[in-house]
Amino acid sequence: MLRPCHWSLATTGISCALLALLSRPAYSQAKQPAAPNIVIILTDDMGYSDLGCYGGEINTPNLDSLADNGLRFTQFYNTGRCCPTRASLLTGLYPHQAGVGHMMEDRQLPGYRGDLNGNCVTIAEVLRTAGYGTYMCGKWHVTPAPKRGHEPDRHNWPLQRGFDHFYGTIMGGGSYFDPATLTRDNKLIVPENFDEYYYTDAITGNAVGFIEQRDAERPFFLYVAYTAAHWPMHAKPEDIAKYQGKYDAGWDALRQQRYERMQQLGVIDSTAQLSPNVQDWDAVQDKAWYADRMEVYAAMVDSMDQGVGRIVNALQNQGQLDNTLVLYLQDNGGCQEEIQSLREPTTEAALRPKAKPLGPRAMQFDLTPAFARDGRPVRLGRGVVPGPADTYGSYGIEWANVSNTPFRQYKHFVHEGGISTPLIAHWPAQIERTGELEHQPGHLIDLMATCVDLAGAEYPAQRGDQAVSPREGVTLRPAFAGQPLERERPIFWEHESNRAVRAGDWKLVAKGKSGPWELYEISTDRSEMNDLAATHPEKVAELTAAWDAWAQRSQVLPLFGK
């Protein structure tokens, strides 16, 4: 079901000044919206099976409704990590081609500058030329974050890369109650009311505001990049309460239940085996604390889904839902990173004794604050139940293994658990395959091609005085109509020396710089349990040569920028 839109200025951070700005046309040449609106919703550090419509038990009725009335892709892929995924999504290139082969550090190599380069264009920059209004809310994370005491370098902030308006964070993480590098347009800001503020709600509220206050004479592109459910595990008490006791049976039981539901739904078939677990639930001490962590994770996903419902309701109330393509996907697989959760209990203030509480209007720059805004030291370590603003932790590798059911590996890696994402496509005016599944492989690089196609835009050869790299993907429009995608080349990956190539039903994958190539036939072994490299050396050689050629032309080498 779709929930009604209720939001306040305090919780969203939206201001009267913003509404005034949005009411002004950005361009003198307005045009009637003959092309569809496009809304891309990206969530963070979630796994393939977390949504109800992909087999999960978390309450996601709004995304489930989009799936029931739209199309679900079962073999769509990201890059396995947050900032490379964002660079690839925005540009239609592989991340190294856009300069973001790893994180935001500069390794002094073209593919690893940690900053969008001048040889790429964003979807917003391209759609602007076709008359679109362009808006973004949420996590940017494709340029170095501003630092306390330094004037920000804004050359790659959203407004400098094609967006008319932006509300969100330049940095890739931080507290949900006091987000670091919070920004409106080109100005660093602080939340208007810390007592009511929650970042997921603020992202939603500003997205709704952009839809309601847009220039109605123009089609629009809206990119909503939630940080949910990236650590820290922060959620509102009323959302956490919904999941009390939900995970007391442990991860083994939950994985089995998801696995069976996924087969019933058809998002995997009977050939996809359930990969091994991390450890048996029966052997775990502190069961209640482990269950608590997953309850908060589920609450974060639930809150995000509520936000999706508010955005869809805003589209419906504005009479725009039928001619709006809504795409939902995730930036990488479930996150196995333990962030201060397994250490002996302490506070961040104790680890950083010179740290002091921020004043009420001081800007937050810290990924991990030492204090909540009300002065409470932020608590870390085993046994600290997450959720409130004075906690900081993650949900751990065992629950990430549940999120990635039935696949192997996690965020960082390019086995299926690291790179598989749901993709939901909802467009009532054009997608008639409601409730169906699409099994053709797709990748982030296809989103630029799709947007250019649907908008009737032209992908440029130049950006200023710099040549733009040709886009890599194919439009997804044929799949909306049940037709084959016109993909002529394999799909490739590299992240932190983890490597892969997908050509048809074959996938070649390796873990780490020295890890051997493994070969899988995905159509009969989606979980990558039966390595065929020894029995098909000719296929290994063929795909290795294809990967080597791609890596050479795409600024991937040297591996990991070393």
Side-chain angles (χ1 to χ4, degrees), residues 42-43 77-93 95 100 102 141-142 223 329-333 418-419 443-445 447 495:
L42 182 72
T43 57
Y77 291 110
N78 51 47
T79 70
R81 189 68 172 274
C82 45
C83 25
T85 280
R86 284 160 172 75
S88 187
L89 182 157
L90 283 164
T91 66
L93 304 176
V100 189
H102 188 238
H141 208 202
V142 288
Y223 172 37
L329 70 164
Q330 300 162 354
D331 69 346
N332 46 248
I419 58 175
H443 188 278
L444 294 162
I445 55 175
L447 300 187
H495 184 64

PDB file of all heavy atoms in Angstrom, residues 42-43 77-93 95 100 102 141-142 223 329-333 418-419 443-445 447 495:
ATOM      1  N   LEU A  42      18.006   5.252  -4.927  1.00  0.00           N
ATOM      2  CA  LEU A  42      19.140   4.384  -4.596  1.00  0.00           C
ATOM      3  C   LEU A  42      19.232   4.249  -3.086  1.00  0.00           C
ATOM      4  O   LEU A  42      19.207   5.257  -2.374  1.00  0.00           O
ATOM      5  CB  LEU A  42      20.433   4.983  -5.146  1.00  0.00           C
ATOM      6  CG  LEU A  42      21.714   4.180  -4.933  1.00  0.00           C
ATOM      7  CD1 LEU A  42      21.738   2.937  -5.818  1.00  0.00           C
ATOM      8  CD2 LEU A  42      22.948   5.047  -5.217  1.00  0.00           C
ATOM      9  N   THR A  43      19.328   3.017  -2.596  1.00  0.00           N
ATOM     10  CA  THR A  43      19.558   2.820  -1.164  1.00  0.00           C
ATOM     11  C   THR A  43      20.941   2.222  -0.937  1.00  0.00           C
ATOM     12  O   THR A  43      21.617   1.778  -1.875  1.00  0.00           O
ATOM     13  CB  THR A  43      18.468   1.945  -0.524  1.00  0.00           C
ATOM     14  OG1 THR A  43      18.393   0.686  -1.199  1.00  0.00           O
ATOM     15  CG2 THR A  43      17.127   2.642  -0.589  1.00  0.00           C
ATOM     16  N   TYR A  77      22.941  -5.460 -11.696  1.00  0.00           N
ATOM     17  CA  TYR A  77      24.203  -5.399 -10.971  1.00  0.00           C
ATOM     18  C   TYR A  77      24.649  -3.964 -10.671  1.00  0.00           C
ATOM     19  O   TYR A  77      24.433  -3.046 -11.465  1.00  0.00           O
ATOM     20  CB  TYR A  77      25.311  -6.065 -11.793  1.00  0.00           C
ATOM     21  CG  TYR A  77      25.177  -7.563 -11.931  1.00  0.00           C
ATOM     22  CD1 TYR A  77      24.853  -8.138 -13.158  1.00  0.00           C
ATOM     23  CD2 TYR A  77      25.375  -8.409 -10.840  1.00  0.00           C
ATOM     24  CE1 TYR A  77      24.738  -9.506 -13.301  1.00  0.00           C
ATOM     25  CE2 TYR A  77      25.261  -9.784 -10.970  1.00  0.00           C
ATOM     26  CZ  TYR A  77      24.945 -10.328 -12.207  1.00  0.00           C
ATOM     27  OH  TYR A  77      24.832 -11.692 -12.334  1.00  0.00           O
ATOM     28  N   ASN A  78      25.308  -3.810  -9.502  1.00  0.00           N
ATOM     29  CA  ASN A  78      26.026  -2.586  -9.153  1.00  0.00           C
ATOM     30  C   ASN A  78      27.521  -2.880  -9.190  1.00  0.00           C
ATOM     31  O   ASN A  78      27.941  -3.901  -9.746  1.00  0.00           O
ATOM     32  CB  ASN A  78      25.559  -2.063  -7.789  1.00  0.00           C
ATOM     33  CG  ASN A  78      25.593  -3.144  -6.715  1.00  0.00           C
ATOM     34  OD1 ASN A  78      26.589  -3.867  -6.586  1.00  0.00           O
ATOM     35  ND2 ASN A  78      24.528  -3.278  -5.943  1.00  0.00           N
ATOM     36  N   THR A  79      28.328  -2.020  -8.574  1.00  0.00           N
ATOM     37  CA  THR A  79      29.786  -2.195  -8.628  1.00  0.00           C
ATOM     38  C   THR A  79      30.382  -2.789  -7.355  1.00  0.00           C
ATOM     39  O   THR A  79      31.587  -3.006  -7.290  1.00  0.00           O
ATOM     40  CB  THR A  79      30.491  -0.859  -8.895  1.00  0.00           C
ATOM     41  OG1 THR A  79      30.374  -0.030  -7.729  1.00  0.00           O
ATOM     42  CG2 THR A  79      29.905  -0.149 -10.095  1.00  0.00           C
ATOM     43  N   GLY A  80      29.558  -3.022  -6.311  1.00  0.00           N
ATOM     44  CA  GLY A  80      30.065  -3.615  -5.083  1.00  0.00           C
ATOM     45  C   GLY A  80      30.522  -2.631  -4.023  1.00  0.00           C
ATOM     46  O   GLY A  80      30.944  -3.043  -2.941  1.00  0.00           O
ATOM     47  N   ARG A  81      30.389  -1.320  -4.287  1.00  0.00           N
ATOM     48  CA  ARG A  81      30.836  -0.325  -3.302  1.00  0.00           C
ATOM     49  C   ARG A  81      30.124   0.998  -3.580  1.00  0.00           C
ATOM     50  O   ARG A  81      29.777   1.306  -4.720  1.00  0.00           O
ATOM     51  CB  ARG A  81      32.351  -0.139  -3.388  1.00  0.00           C
ATOM     52  CG  ARG A  81      32.991   0.713  -2.289  1.00  0.00           C
ATOM     53  CD  ARG A  81      32.946   0.041  -0.916  1.00  0.00           C
ATOM     54  NE  ARG A  81      33.687   0.744   0.082  1.00  0.00           N
ATOM     55  CZ  ARG A  81      35.002   0.602   0.328  1.00  0.00           C
ATOM     56  NH1 ARG A  81      35.724  -0.232  -0.414  1.00  0.00           N
ATOM     57  NH2 ARG A  81      35.593   1.269   1.281  1.00  0.00           N
ATOM     58  N   CYS A  82      29.998   1.820  -2.550  1.00  0.00           N
ATOM     59  CA  CYS A  82      29.141   3.001  -2.609  1.00  0.00           C
ATOM     60  C   CYS A  82      29.567   4.030  -3.654  1.00  0.00           C
ATOM     61  O   CYS A  82      28.802   4.368  -4.556  1.00  0.00           O
ATOM     62  CB  CYS A  82      29.044   3.648  -1.234  1.00  0.00           C
ATOM     63  SG  CYS A  82      30.613   3.805  -0.374  1.00  0.00           S
ATOM     64  N   CYS A  83      30.772   4.596  -3.545  1.00  0.00           N
ATOM     65  CA  CYS A  83      31.108   5.694  -4.461  1.00  0.00           C
ATOM     66  C   CYS A  83      31.337   5.234  -5.898  1.00  0.00           C
ATOM     67  O   CYS A  83      30.888   5.940  -6.824  1.00  0.00           O
ATOM     68  CB  CYS A  83      32.275   6.541  -3.941  1.00  0.00           C
ATOM     69  SG  CYS A  83      33.395   5.764  -2.829  1.00  0.00           S
ATOM     70  N   PRO A  84      31.977   4.084  -6.169  1.00  0.00           N
ATOM     71  CA  PRO A  84      32.021   3.651  -7.573  1.00  0.00           C
ATOM     72  C   PRO A  84      30.633   3.445  -8.175  1.00  0.00           C
ATOM     73  O   PRO A  84      30.415   3.778  -9.346  1.00  0.00           O
ATOM     74  CB  PRO A  84      32.815   2.338  -7.506  1.00  0.00           C
ATOM     75  CG  PRO A  84      33.646   2.452  -6.273  1.00  0.00           C
ATOM     76  CD  PRO A  84      32.803   3.220  -5.303  1.00  0.00           C
ATOM     77  N   THR A  85      29.704   2.919  -7.381  1.00  0.00           N
ATOM     78  CA  THR A  85      28.340   2.750  -7.884  1.00  0.00           C
ATOM     79  C   THR A  85      27.725   4.091  -8.248  1.00  0.00           C
ATOM     80  O   THR A  85      27.087   4.249  -9.297  1.00  0.00           O
ATOM     81  CB  THR A  85      27.468   2.027  -6.843  1.00  0.00           C
ATOM     82  OG1 THR A  85      27.727   0.621  -6.920  1.00  0.00           O
ATOM     83  CG2 THR A  85      25.978   2.263  -7.075  1.00  0.00           C
ATOM     84  N   ARG A  86      27.893   5.087  -7.398  1.00  0.00           N
ATOM     85  CA  ARG A  86      27.314   6.406  -7.675  1.00  0.00           C
ATOM     86  C   ARG A  86      27.936   7.030  -8.919  1.00  0.00           C
ATOM     87  O   ARG A  86      27.241   7.655  -9.731  1.00  0.00           O
ATOM     88  CB  ARG A  86      27.480   7.306  -6.455  1.00  0.00           C
ATOM     89  CG  ARG A  86      26.488   6.957  -5.365  1.00  0.00           C
ATOM     90  CD  ARG A  86      26.880   7.464  -3.985  1.00  0.00           C
ATOM     91  NE  ARG A  86      25.771   7.233  -3.083  1.00  0.00           N
ATOM     92  CZ  ARG A  86      25.425   6.043  -2.588  1.00  0.00           C
ATOM     93  NH1 ARG A  86      26.128   4.971  -2.904  1.00  0.00           N
ATOM     94  NH2 ARG A  86      24.387   5.907  -1.782  1.00  0.00           N
ATOM     95  N   ALA A  87      29.238   6.870  -9.075  1.00  0.00           N
ATOM     96  CA  ALA A  87      29.896   7.409 -10.265  1.00  0.00           C
ATOM     97  C   ALA A  87      29.383   6.720 -11.526  1.00  0.00           C
ATOM     98  O   ALA A  87      29.125   7.370 -12.542  1.00  0.00           O
ATOM     99  CB  ALA A  87      31.409   7.251 -10.136  1.00  0.00           C
ATOM    100  N   SER A  88      29.205   5.423 -11.470  1.00  0.00           N
ATOM    101  CA  SER A  88      28.743   4.671 -12.624  1.00  0.00           C
ATOM    102  C   SER A  88      27.285   4.976 -12.943  1.00  0.00           C
ATOM    103  O   SER A  88      26.914   5.190 -14.107  1.00  0.00           O
ATOM    104  CB  SER A  88      28.929   3.170 -12.374  1.00  0.00           C
ATOM    105  OG  SER A  88      28.647   2.411 -13.517  1.00  0.00           O
ATOM    106  N   LEU A  89      26.453   5.031 -11.921  1.00  0.00           N
ATOM    107  CA  LEU A  89      25.032   5.348 -12.115  1.00  0.00           C
ATOM    108  C   LEU A  89      24.870   6.720 -12.764  1.00  0.00           C
ATOM    109  O   LEU A  89      24.102   6.879 -13.722  1.00  0.00           O
ATOM    110  CB  LEU A  89      24.313   5.298 -10.768  1.00  0.00           C
ATOM    111  CG  LEU A  89      22.812   5.558 -10.720  1.00  0.00           C
ATOM    112  CD1 LEU A  89      22.201   4.925  -9.464  1.00  0.00           C
ATOM    113  CD2 LEU A  89      22.446   7.038 -10.729  1.00  0.00           C
ATOM    114  N   LEU A  90      25.584   7.702 -12.243  1.00  0.00           N
ATOM    115  CA  LEU A  90      25.415   9.073 -12.717  1.00  0.00           C
ATOM    116  C   LEU A  90      25.926   9.279 -14.137  1.00  0.00           C
ATOM    117  O   LEU A  90      25.392  10.107 -14.878  1.00  0.00           O
ATOM    118  CB  LEU A  90      26.132  10.043 -11.782  1.00  0.00           C
ATOM    119  CG  LEU A  90      25.427  10.365 -10.461  1.00  0.00           C
ATOM    120  CD1 LEU A  90      26.403  11.010  -9.483  1.00  0.00           C
ATOM    121  CD2 LEU A  90      24.234  11.279 -10.704  1.00  0.00           C
ATOM    122  N   THR A  91      26.952   8.536 -14.547  1.00  0.00           N
ATOM    123  CA  THR A  91      27.651   8.836 -15.796  1.00  0.00           C
ATOM    124  C   THR A  91      27.419   7.833 -16.918  1.00  0.00           C
ATOM    125  O   THR A  91      27.743   8.138 -18.075  1.00  0.00           O
ATOM    126  CB  THR A  91      29.163   8.923 -15.559  1.00  0.00           C
ATOM    127  OG1 THR A  91      29.660   7.627 -15.179  1.00  0.00           O
ATOM    128  CG2 THR A  91      29.493   9.946 -14.469  1.00  0.00           C
ATOM    129  N   GLY A  92      26.929   6.626 -16.605  1.00  0.00           N
ATOM    130  CA  GLY A  92      26.797   5.605 -17.639  1.00  0.00           C
ATOM    131  C   GLY A  92      28.116   5.005 -18.062  1.00  0.00           C
ATOM    132  O   GLY A  92      28.204   4.311 -19.086  1.00  0.00           O
ATOM    133  N   LEU A  93      29.164   5.237 -17.276  1.00  0.00           N
ATOM    134  CA  LEU A  93      30.492   4.687 -17.523  1.00  0.00           C
ATOM    135  C   LEU A  93      30.847   3.702 -16.424  1.00  0.00           C
ATOM    136  O   LEU A  93      30.211   3.666 -15.367  1.00  0.00           O
ATOM    137  CB  LEU A  93      31.536   5.803 -17.548  1.00  0.00           C
ATOM    138  CG  LEU A  93      31.315   6.953 -18.529  1.00  0.00           C
ATOM    139  CD1 LEU A  93      32.394   8.011 -18.330  1.00  0.00           C
ATOM    140  CD2 LEU A  93      31.307   6.456 -19.966  1.00  0.00           C
ATOM    141  N   PRO A  95      33.182   2.882 -13.310  1.00  0.00           N
ATOM    142  CA  PRO A  95      33.622   3.914 -12.362  1.00  0.00           C
ATOM    143  C   PRO A  95      35.030   4.444 -12.615  1.00  0.00           C
ATOM    144  O   PRO A  95      35.282   5.643 -12.441  1.00  0.00           O
ATOM    145  CB  PRO A  95      33.502   3.234 -11.001  1.00  0.00           C
ATOM    146  CG  PRO A  95      33.342   1.777 -11.273  1.00  0.00           C
ATOM    147  CD  PRO A  95      32.733   1.653 -12.625  1.00  0.00           C
ATOM    148  N   VAL A 100      36.617   7.333 -10.471  1.00  0.00           N
ATOM    149  CA  VAL A 100      36.268   6.897  -9.109  1.00  0.00           C
ATOM    150  C   VAL A 100      36.360   5.375  -9.018  1.00  0.00           C
ATOM    151  O   VAL A 100      35.389   4.676  -8.742  1.00  0.00           O
ATOM    152  CB  VAL A 100      34.865   7.399  -8.705  1.00  0.00           C
ATOM    153  CG1 VAL A 100      34.597   7.125  -7.218  1.00  0.00           C
ATOM    154  CG2 VAL A 100      34.717   8.896  -8.976  1.00  0.00           C
ATOM    155  N   HIS A 102      37.988   3.720  -6.808  1.00  0.00           N
ATOM    156  CA  HIS A 102      37.946   3.272  -5.419  1.00  0.00           C
ATOM    157  C   HIS A 102      37.132   4.267  -4.613  1.00  0.00           C
ATOM    158  O   HIS A 102      35.975   4.521  -4.902  1.00  0.00           O
ATOM    159  CB  HIS A 102      39.360   3.087  -4.861  1.00  0.00           C
ATOM    160  CG  HIS A 102      39.367   2.446  -3.508  1.00  0.00           C
ATOM    161  ND1 HIS A 102      39.933   3.051  -2.398  1.00  0.00           N
ATOM    162  CD2 HIS A 102      38.843   1.280  -3.066  1.00  0.00           C
ATOM    163  CE1 HIS A 102      39.760   2.257  -1.339  1.00  0.00           C
ATOM    164  NE2 HIS A 102      39.108   1.190  -1.715  1.00  0.00           N
ATOM    165  N   HIS A 141      28.777  11.761  -2.602  1.00  0.00           N
ATOM    166  CA  HIS A 141      29.901  10.834  -2.440  1.00  0.00           C
ATOM    167  C   HIS A 141      30.628  10.489  -3.744  1.00  0.00           C
ATOM    168  O   HIS A 141      31.029   9.339  -3.961  1.00  0.00           O
ATOM    169  CB  HIS A 141      29.417   9.544  -1.748  1.00  0.00           C
ATOM    170  CG  HIS A 141      30.512   8.867  -0.958  1.00  0.00           C
ATOM    171  ND1 HIS A 141      30.473   7.532  -0.628  1.00  0.00           N
ATOM    172  CD2 HIS A 141      31.658   9.352  -0.439  1.00  0.00           C
ATOM    173  CE1 HIS A 141      31.541   7.210   0.060  1.00  0.00           C
ATOM    174  NE2 HIS A 141      32.285   8.311   0.198  1.00  0.00           N
ATOM    175  N   VAL A 142      30.843  11.484  -4.597  1.00  0.00           N
ATOM    176  CA  VAL A 142      31.670  11.283  -5.787  1.00  0.00           C
ATOM    177  C   VAL A 142      32.716  12.390  -5.915  1.00  0.00           C
ATOM    178  O   VAL A 142      33.269  12.627  -6.983  1.00  0.00           O
ATOM    179  CB  VAL A 142      30.812  11.198  -7.072  1.00  0.00           C
ATOM    180  CG1 VAL A 142      30.056   9.886  -7.129  1.00  0.00           C
ATOM    181  CG2 VAL A 142      29.872  12.383  -7.215  1.00  0.00           C
ATOM    182  N   TYR A 223      16.829  12.415  -8.452  1.00  0.00           N
ATOM    183  CA  TYR A 223      17.725  11.361  -7.964  1.00  0.00           C
ATOM    184  C   TYR A 223      17.681  11.398  -6.441  1.00  0.00           C
ATOM    185  O   TYR A 223      18.067  12.397  -5.827  1.00  0.00           O
ATOM    186  CB  TYR A 223      19.128  11.616  -8.500  1.00  0.00           C
ATOM    187  CG  TYR A 223      20.245  10.754  -7.954  1.00  0.00           C
ATOM    188  CD1 TYR A 223      20.072   9.406  -7.662  1.00  0.00           C
ATOM    189  CD2 TYR A 223      21.510  11.297  -7.766  1.00  0.00           C
ATOM    190  CE1 TYR A 223      21.125   8.631  -7.181  1.00  0.00           C
ATOM    191  CE2 TYR A 223      22.576  10.539  -7.303  1.00  0.00           C
ATOM    192  CZ  TYR A 223      22.376   9.202  -7.009  1.00  0.00           C
ATOM    193  OH  TYR A 223      23.426   8.443  -6.544  1.00  0.00           O
ATOM    194  N   LEU A 329      16.947   0.823  -6.841  1.00  0.00           N
ATOM    195  CA  LEU A 329      18.056  -0.133  -6.781  1.00  0.00           C
ATOM    196  C   LEU A 329      18.953   0.180  -5.588  1.00  0.00           C
ATOM    197  O   LEU A 329      18.707   1.137  -4.843  1.00  0.00           O
ATOM    198  CB  LEU A 329      18.842  -0.127  -8.074  1.00  0.00           C
ATOM    199  CG  LEU A 329      19.703   1.089  -8.441  1.00  0.00           C
ATOM    200  CD1 LEU A 329      20.688   0.708  -9.549  1.00  0.00           C
ATOM    201  CD2 LEU A 329      18.864   2.269  -8.906  1.00  0.00           C
ATOM    202  N   GLN A 330      19.997  -0.651  -5.402  1.00  0.00           N
ATOM    203  CA  GLN A 330      20.891  -0.562  -4.247  1.00  0.00           C
ATOM    204  C   GLN A 330      22.340  -0.415  -4.709  1.00  0.00           C
ATOM    205  O   GLN A 330      22.687  -0.842  -5.808  1.00  0.00           O
ATOM    206  CB  GLN A 330      20.738  -1.820  -3.379  1.00  0.00           C
ATOM    207  CG  GLN A 330      19.331  -2.010  -2.857  1.00  0.00           C
ATOM    208  CD  GLN A 330      19.055  -3.437  -2.367  1.00  0.00           C
ATOM    209  OE1 GLN A 330      19.887  -4.328  -2.523  1.00  0.00           O
ATOM    210  NE2 GLN A 330      17.888  -3.653  -1.795  1.00  0.00           N
ATOM    211  N   ASP A 331      23.195   0.163  -3.854  1.00  0.00           N
ATOM    212  CA  ASP A 331      24.551   0.506  -4.302  1.00  0.00           C
ATOM    213  C   ASP A 331      25.561  -0.620  -4.168  1.00  0.00           C
ATOM    214  O   ASP A 331      26.599  -0.603  -4.825  1.00  0.00           O
ATOM    215  CB  ASP A 331      25.055   1.772  -3.595  1.00  0.00           C
ATOM    216  CG  ASP A 331      25.332   1.570  -2.117  1.00  0.00           C
ATOM    217  OD1 ASP A 331      24.913   0.547  -1.530  1.00  0.00           O
ATOM    218  OD2 ASP A 331      25.981   2.465  -1.523  1.00  0.00           O
ATOM    219  N   ASN A 332      25.308  -1.585  -3.308  1.00  0.00           N
ATOM    220  CA  ASN A 332      26.176  -2.759  -3.172  1.00  0.00           C
ATOM    221  C   ASN A 332      25.427  -3.786  -2.346  1.00  0.00           C
ATOM    222  O   ASN A 332      24.309  -3.540  -1.897  1.00  0.00           O
ATOM    223  CB  ASN A 332      27.525  -2.412  -2.514  1.00  0.00           C
ATOM    224  CG  ASN A 332      27.439  -1.542  -1.283  1.00  0.00           C
ATOM    225  OD1 ASN A 332      27.867  -0.389  -1.318  1.00  0.00           O
ATOM    226  ND2 ASN A 332      26.883  -2.054  -0.201  1.00  0.00           N
ATOM    227  N   GLY A 333      26.046  -4.942  -2.154  1.00  0.00           N
ATOM    228  CA  GLY A 333      25.409  -5.957  -1.324  1.00  0.00           C
ATOM    229  C   GLY A 333      25.453  -5.600   0.148  1.00  0.00           C
ATOM    230  O   GLY A 333      25.996  -4.563   0.552  1.00  0.00           O
ATOM    231  N   GLY A 418      28.080  -9.421  -3.511  1.00  0.00           N
ATOM    232  CA  GLY A 418      28.568  -8.048  -3.452  1.00  0.00           C
ATOM    233  C   GLY A 418      27.964  -7.123  -4.481  1.00  0.00           C
ATOM    234  O   GLY A 418      27.917  -5.906  -4.265  1.00  0.00           O
ATOM    235  N   ILE A 419      27.486  -7.693  -5.609  1.00  0.00           N
ATOM    236  CA  ILE A 419      27.103  -6.836  -6.735  1.00  0.00           C
ATOM    237  C   ILE A 419      25.661  -7.010  -7.194  1.00  0.00           C
ATOM    238  O   ILE A 419      25.209  -6.279  -8.085  1.00  0.00           O
ATOM    239  CB  ILE A 419      28.040  -7.063  -7.950  1.00  0.00           C
ATOM    240  CG1 ILE A 419      28.016  -8.529  -8.401  1.00  0.00           C
ATOM    241  CG2 ILE A 419      29.454  -6.602  -7.618  1.00  0.00           C
ATOM    242  CD1 ILE A 419      28.826  -8.801  -9.662  1.00  0.00           C
ATOM    243  N   HIS A 443      23.060  -3.612 -15.786  1.00  0.00           N
ATOM    244  CA  HIS A 443      24.095  -2.975 -14.959  1.00  0.00           C
ATOM    245  C   HIS A 443      23.805  -1.484 -14.851  1.00  0.00           C
ATOM    246  O   HIS A 443      23.113  -0.897 -15.686  1.00  0.00           O
ATOM    247  CB  HIS A 443      25.466  -3.216 -15.598  1.00  0.00           C
ATOM    248  CG  HIS A 443      26.645  -2.778 -14.771  1.00  0.00           C
ATOM    249  ND1 HIS A 443      27.083  -1.471 -14.730  1.00  0.00           N
ATOM    250  CD2 HIS A 443      27.481  -3.472 -13.962  1.00  0.00           C
ATOM    251  CE1 HIS A 443      28.138  -1.388 -13.934  1.00  0.00           C
ATOM    252  NE2 HIS A 443      28.406  -2.585 -13.459  1.00  0.00           N
ATOM    253  N   LEU A 444      24.371  -0.870 -13.846  1.00  0.00           N
ATOM    254  CA  LEU A 444      24.250   0.571 -13.643  1.00  0.00           C
ATOM    255  C   LEU A 444      24.536   1.386 -14.902  1.00  0.00           C
ATOM    256  O   LEU A 444      23.918   2.440 -15.116  1.00  0.00           O
ATOM    257  CB  LEU A 444      25.239   1.024 -12.560  1.00  0.00           C
ATOM    258  CG  LEU A 444      25.030   0.523 -11.135  1.00  0.00           C
ATOM    259  CD1 LEU A 444      26.308   0.702 -10.343  1.00  0.00           C
ATOM    260  CD2 LEU A 444      23.885   1.266 -10.486  1.00  0.00           C
ATOM    261  N   ILE A 445      25.475   0.935 -15.702  1.00  0.00           N
ATOM    262  CA  ILE A 445      25.832   1.685 -16.906  1.00  0.00           C
ATOM    263  C   ILE A 445      24.629   1.851 -17.837  1.00  0.00           C
ATOM    264  O   ILE A 445      24.622   2.750 -18.684  1.00  0.00           O
ATOM    265  CB  ILE A 445      26.996   1.012 -17.665  1.00  0.00           C
ATOM    266  CG1 ILE A 445      26.666  -0.459 -17.981  1.00  0.00           C
ATOM    267  CG2 ILE A 445      28.291   1.131 -16.877  1.00  0.00           C
ATOM    268  CD1 ILE A 445      27.724  -1.156 -18.830  1.00  0.00           C
ATOM    269  N   LEU A 447      21.634   2.804 -16.990  1.00  0.00           N
ATOM    270  CA  LEU A 447      20.678   3.838 -16.576  1.00  0.00           C
ATOM    271  C   LEU A 447      20.845   5.121 -17.379  1.00  0.00           C
ATOM    272  O   LEU A 447      19.860   5.768 -17.747  1.00  0.00           O
ATOM    273  CB  LEU A 447      20.796   4.097 -15.074  1.00  0.00           C
ATOM    274  CG  LEU A 447      20.515   2.891 -14.174  1.00  0.00           C
ATOM    275  CD1 LEU A 447      20.491   3.317 -12.714  1.00  0.00           C
ATOM    276  CD2 LEU A 447      19.215   2.187 -14.548  1.00  0.00           C
ATOM    277  N   HIS A 495      36.999  -4.018  -8.322  1.00  0.00           N
ATOM    278  CA  HIS A 495      37.002  -3.197  -7.125  1.00  0.00           C
ATOM    279  C   HIS A 495      37.951  -3.821  -6.111  1.00  0.00           C
ATOM    280  O   HIS A 495      37.829  -4.991  -5.763  1.00  0.00           O
ATOM    281  CB  HIS A 495      35.617  -3.075  -6.505  1.00  0.00           C
ATOM    282  CG  HIS A 495      35.593  -2.138  -5.326  1.00  0.00           C
ATOM    283  ND1 HIS A 495      35.874  -0.789  -5.462  1.00  0.00           N
ATOM    284  CD2 HIS A 495      35.386  -2.347  -4.006  1.00  0.00           C
ATOM    285  CE1 HIS A 495      35.817  -0.215  -4.284  1.00  0.00           C
ATOM    286  NE2 HIS A 495      35.535  -1.138  -3.376  1.00  0.00           N
TER     287      HIS A 495
END
